[in-house]
């Protein structure tokens, strides 16, 4: 149902009258209880929000090879899309999802506890919830360490948010919620204590769409498609009673309901009695067939509310004021849109805007809406305002041009504009902390007047186009450089003293882009030539330039940055698009950087067969090692396809995501039996699309080692995998990132030889990290080690060990 439908307007009026508010807190995108959020936001009409401490950037992605920052951006948008469905708001902290954590103490070691606490307190003070609800028990064990930490820190923040002495640098008024509750769930039922367990009935239907909260929750959760929830169905349904359970963690005890003792009406606000009466009267008299009949009453209510907001800086009153303005616009049928021909602009360019406004409701004769002016807050002087002064008795439009200020920052998600730590994003502007995404690059404010009141519509330029199905695609304004840069490889692998060529691609975003291209490298690395001149005449034109890079004579690593100078301005940005069918396109423009590593590396064989999985960079990594790579097709894999191949590697989670993988297994087993080598990377034990993952019995588990610095034990020191052609030592496990590995086998046939063992602190060693079995004349290797993270990160030891695996038998 349309968001400005009469039913939607009536729901917003109910939400305006309702003053209760709830903040739900957990660790990751997809941790939230969407059914409870939908019930609170759409059933009880509370101000409802979800605070996800992380953006999910450390997880896996079943849709593409986007990991890290790009995955975090995608999962941020998935949460925003989910909130559009269930009706809640969305917040984040600066904490990074750095990968799986087994306990909250480990998490505390990586996250900056004080910064995360500060962020939770900031969100509490700005959102001002009456009740906090956590998704997870504070009792440690049995779940992700991030999960437990989210509740442990939420409990601390509950006490600190109301303490004026805590985080005074925020310059925010203290706010003390009434209580903090744990939303107990069946999969953590072992953590339910002997304290009272309270239940509320969350059954019901949305008054706008008529759908059940259960159904809305399923649609909301299904937006987490990168996590594999695209076909998610909420358990239960069919009208059955839906109960949500809670245990008190701190604060005022409950008698019957989570909002016990909370005044959820306007009576809680000094002078709010009149607001309560007026809002109730509008709701009682609302004409579902003609919302415009409520305009005069809404205007009178708006006057009364303005008297309160003029005396108070209460953020809730400000939010209610914005909501009432939105209700007024809906009753008027006022639509405003600012469109531009191109959604991408370079600072200093002229922007042609078409700004249209119209009213669809038939207003009483004594009322008229005047379009007063258009303001551009990023500009100053005469350019900052366009005087319109037109009555909206018919659709009106304005065409105007403005110059995008030369100092406008290039588009980049605000939490990615500078380097952080392994556990935390760095955010320069504190006012952005907690917010979900960037504010508009070039905001547009339209001022309207009705009766004796004015109101402002916040807008932004959008490029509107249609896809092949006729659906309208709206793209926000992105600020770009005149050229973008890209290394053709993310990492270059060399031996000490070696000279290798690398290519940089430069792409013109604007015609007649000319200048000089250079590389910035450490002083002990050499680059020839020092620069290339480029001259790109057309938009979209690309050119590739080759540089020769010479490594130092000793083992070394370097960060190489590409730089383009145009008219005295220097640009370092690459262009990355995060594009999925279910999300608006996102543009990232991080520095164009590649890693260069120089170390001793020997390989055997020439050609590797690769069967892709859920997504990794293995093809490029193998090519950097000097191998030719042949992409294989599991649907029709035959012995002939495997001729001339020295080893076959399966991409991560190939057994989970490739629908035809079972057809390929006989050919792969025969290939090994005849002398070949197959290397299988990690898979989850659930949703396997093969009955037999190896020629011998092998059982995959949830075992993993999350400490990337966990000591290594060599279980088979004489095995060729540790000796040929590279001698593997403990030093080869230095510098690993995020984790050692995941989903290790925990049971295997005696034909398998365990090669390595790792353990997290306080745990027994896991010997299933790397297993090798001779089968016939060849070798079958299964590994849960995180090569998909280590190889693109340029970890030397990971390359040396991987070279030994694919060289086995050669």
């Amino acid at each position: 149902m349309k968001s400005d439908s009469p039913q939607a307007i009536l729901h917003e009026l109910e939400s305006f009258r309702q003053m209760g508010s709830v903040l739900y807190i957990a660790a990751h995108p997809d941790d939230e209880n969407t059914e409870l959020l939908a019930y609170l936001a759409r059933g009880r009409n509370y101000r409802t929000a979800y605070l996800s401490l992380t953006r999910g950037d450390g997880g896996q992605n079943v849709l593409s090879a986007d990991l890290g920052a790009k995955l975090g951006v995608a999962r941020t948008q998935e949460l925003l899309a989910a909130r559009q469905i269930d009706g809640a708001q969305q917040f984040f902290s600066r904490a990074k999802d750095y990968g799986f954590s087994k306990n909250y103490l480990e998490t505390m070691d990586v996250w900056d506890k004080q910064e995360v606490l500060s962020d939770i307190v900031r969100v509490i003070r700005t959102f001002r919830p009456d009740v906090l609800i956590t998704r997870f028990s504070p009792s440690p064990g049995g779940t992700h360490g991030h999960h437990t930490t989210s509740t442990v820190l939420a409990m601390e923040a509950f006490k600190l948010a109301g303490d004026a002495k805590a985080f005074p640098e925020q310059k925010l008024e203290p706010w003390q919620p009434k209580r903090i509750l744990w939303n107990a769930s069946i999969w953590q039922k072992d953590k339910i204590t002997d304290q009272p367990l309270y239940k509320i009935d969350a059954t019901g239907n949305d008054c706008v769409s008529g759908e059940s909260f259960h159904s809305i929750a399923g649609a909301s959760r299904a937006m987490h498609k990168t996590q594999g929830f695209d076909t998610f169905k909420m358990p239960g349904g069919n009208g059955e009673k839906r109960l949500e359970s809670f245990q008190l963690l701190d604060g005022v005890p409950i008698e019957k309901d989570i909002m016990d003792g909370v005044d959820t009406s306007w009576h809680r606000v000094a002078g709010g009695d009149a607001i309560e009466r007026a809002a109730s009267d509008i709701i009682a008299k609302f004409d579902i067939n003609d919302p415009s009949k409520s305009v005069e009453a809404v205007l009178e209510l708006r006057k009364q509310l303005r008297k309160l907001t003029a005396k108070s800086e209460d953020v809730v009153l400000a939010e209610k004021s914005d909501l009432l303005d939105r209700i007024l616009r809906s009753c008027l049928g006022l639509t405003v849109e600012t469109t531009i021909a191109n959604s991408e602009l370079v600072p200093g360019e002229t922007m042609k805007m078409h700004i249209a406004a119209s009213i669809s409701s038939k207003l009483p004769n004594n009322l008229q809406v005047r379009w007063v002016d258009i303001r551009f807050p990023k500009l100053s002087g005469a350019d900052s305002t366009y005087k319109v002064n037109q009555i909206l008795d018919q659709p009106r439009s304005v065409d105007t041009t403005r110059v995008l200020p030369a100092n406008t920052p290039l588009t980049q998600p605000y939490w990615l504009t500078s380097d952080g730590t392994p556990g935390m994003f760095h955010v320069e502007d504190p006012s952005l902390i907690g917010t979900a995404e960037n504010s508009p690059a070039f905001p547009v404010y339209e001022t309207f007047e009705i009766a004796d009141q004015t109101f402002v519509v916040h807008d932004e330029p959008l490029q509107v186009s249609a896809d092949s199905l006729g659906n309208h695609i709206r793209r926000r304004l992105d600020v770009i450089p005149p050229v973008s840069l890209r290394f053709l490889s993310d990492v270059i692998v060399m031996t000490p003293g070696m000279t290798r060529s690398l290519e940089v691609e430069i792409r013109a975003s604007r015609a007649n882009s000319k200048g000089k291209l250079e590389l910035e490298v450490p002083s002990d690395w050499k680059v020839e030539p020092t620069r290339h001149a480029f001259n790109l005449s057309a938009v979209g034109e690309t050119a590739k330039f080759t540089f020769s890079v010479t490594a130092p004579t000793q083992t070394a690593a370097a960060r190489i940055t590409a730089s383009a100078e145009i008219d005295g301005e220097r640009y370092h940005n690459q262009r990355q698009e995060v594009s999925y069918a279910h999300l608006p396109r996102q543009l990232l423009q991080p520095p164009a950087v590649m890693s260069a590593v120089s170390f001793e590396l020997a390989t055997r064989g020439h050609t590797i067969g690769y069967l892709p999985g859920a997504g990794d960079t293995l093809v490029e990594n193998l090519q950097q090692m000097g191998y030719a790579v042949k992409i294989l097709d599991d649907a029709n894999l035959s012995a002939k396809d495997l001729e001339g191949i020295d080893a076959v590697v399966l991409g991560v989670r190939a057994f989970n995501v490739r629908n035809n993988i079972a057809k390929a297994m006989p050919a792969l087993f025969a290939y090994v039996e005849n002398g070949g080598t197959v290397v299988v990377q990690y898979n989850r034990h659930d949703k396997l699309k093969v009955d037999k993952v190896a020629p011998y019995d092998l059982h995959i588990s949830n075992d993993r080692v999350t400490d990337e610095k966990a000591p290594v034990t060599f279980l088979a020191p004489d095995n060729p995998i540790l000796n040929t052609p590279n001698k593997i030592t403990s030093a080869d496990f230095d510098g690993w990132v995020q984790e050692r590995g995941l989903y290790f086998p925990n049971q295997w046939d005696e034909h398998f030889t365990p090669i390595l063992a790792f353990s997290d602190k306080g745990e027994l060693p896991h010997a299933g990290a790397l297993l090798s079995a001779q089968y016939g004349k060849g070798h079958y290797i299964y590994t849960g080690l995180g090569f998909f993270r280590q190889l693109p990160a340029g970890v030397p030891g990971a390359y040396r060990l991987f070279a030994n695996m694919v060289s086995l038998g050669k």
Side-chain angles (χ1 to χ4, degrees), residues 591-646:
V593 174
M594 76 175 303
S595 298
V597 286
S598 167
F599 57 93
E600 296 294 341
L601 175 67
T603 61
R604 290 181 180 172
H606 302 284
T607 304
I608 304 296
Y610 175 65
L611 196 58
D616 54 37
T617 61
L618 194 63
V619 171
E620 177 189 330
N621 304 140
L622 287 167
Q623 291 170 340
Q624 282 291 327
M625 294 163 68
Y627 287 107
V629 180
K630 179 181 179 181
I631 305 298
L632 303 175
D633 178 10
D634 53 344
N636 302 292
L637 191 65
S638 66
K640 186 174 183 180
D641 295 320
L642 300 174
E643 290 178 0
I645 289 178
D646 296 297

Side-chain angles (χ1 to χ4, degrees), residues 3 8-20 41 45-48 87 89 266 279 283 298 301-302 305-306 309 315-331 455-456:
S3 61
I9 299 171
L10 185 58
H11 174 256
E12 289 199 318
L13 281 165
E14 294 280 8
S15 297
F16 174 84
R17 182 173 60 174
Q18 177 57 254
M19 293 294 285
N45 303 314
Y46 294 154
R47 295 171 59 250
T48 306
Q89 300 180 46
W266 275 88
I283 291 169
V298 170
L301 174 57
R302 195 169 178 271
L305 183 57
R306 283 290 184 270
T309 55
V315 294
V316 177
L317 292 184
E319 186 178 311
K320 291 294 184 180
S321 180
D322 290 341
L323 175 57
L324 190 59
D325 279 2
R326 190 162 68 244
I327 292 169
L328 175 61
R329 295 199 303 272
S330 297
C331 289
F455 61 93
V456 178

Side-chain angles (χ1 to χ4, degrees), residues 582-721:
H582 64 300
L583 300 173
R585 185 201 65 170
Q586 301 296 302
L587 179 64
L588 280 69
Q589 298 182 110
V593 174
M594 76 175 303
S595 298
V597 286
S598 167
F599 57 93
E600 296 294 341
L601 175 67
T603 61
R604 290 181 180 172
H606 302 284
T607 304
I608 304 296
Y610 175 65
L611 196 58
D616 54 37
T617 61
L618 194 63
V619 171
E620 177 189 330
N621 304 140
L622 287 167
Q623 291 170 340
Q624 282 291 327
M625 294 163 68
Y627 287 107
V629 180
K630 179 181 179 181
I631 305 298
L632 303 175
D633 178 10
D634 53 344
N636 302 292
L637 191 65
S638 66
K640 186 174 183 180
D641 295 320
L642 300 174
E643 290 178 0
I645 289 178
D646 296 297
V648 173
V649 179
L650 273 63
V652 297
R653 295 182 66 179
F655 291 158
N656 299 130
V657 301
R658 296 198 68 89
N659 292 325
N660 297 306
I661 187 67
K663 294 181 180 179
M665 298 310 290
L668 291 174
F669 289 160
Y671 167 74
V672 175
E673 193 171 17
N674 292 324
T677 297
V678 168
V679 178
V680 179
Q681 297 185 87
Y682 93 92
N683 292 269
R684 291 178 60 101
H685 60 85
D686 55 341
K687 299 181 180 178
L688 290 169
K689 297 182 184 294
V690 292
D691 295 326
K692 197 172 183 182
V693 300
Y696 304 113
D697 192 31
L698 181 72
H699 295 276
I700 302 169
S701 74
N702 281 323
D703 291 351
R704 62 203 302 164
V705 176
T706 61
D707 183 0
E708 67 272 22
K709 299 179 182 178
V712 58
T713 300
F714 295 107
L715 301 175
D718 296 328
N719 191 283
I721 289 178

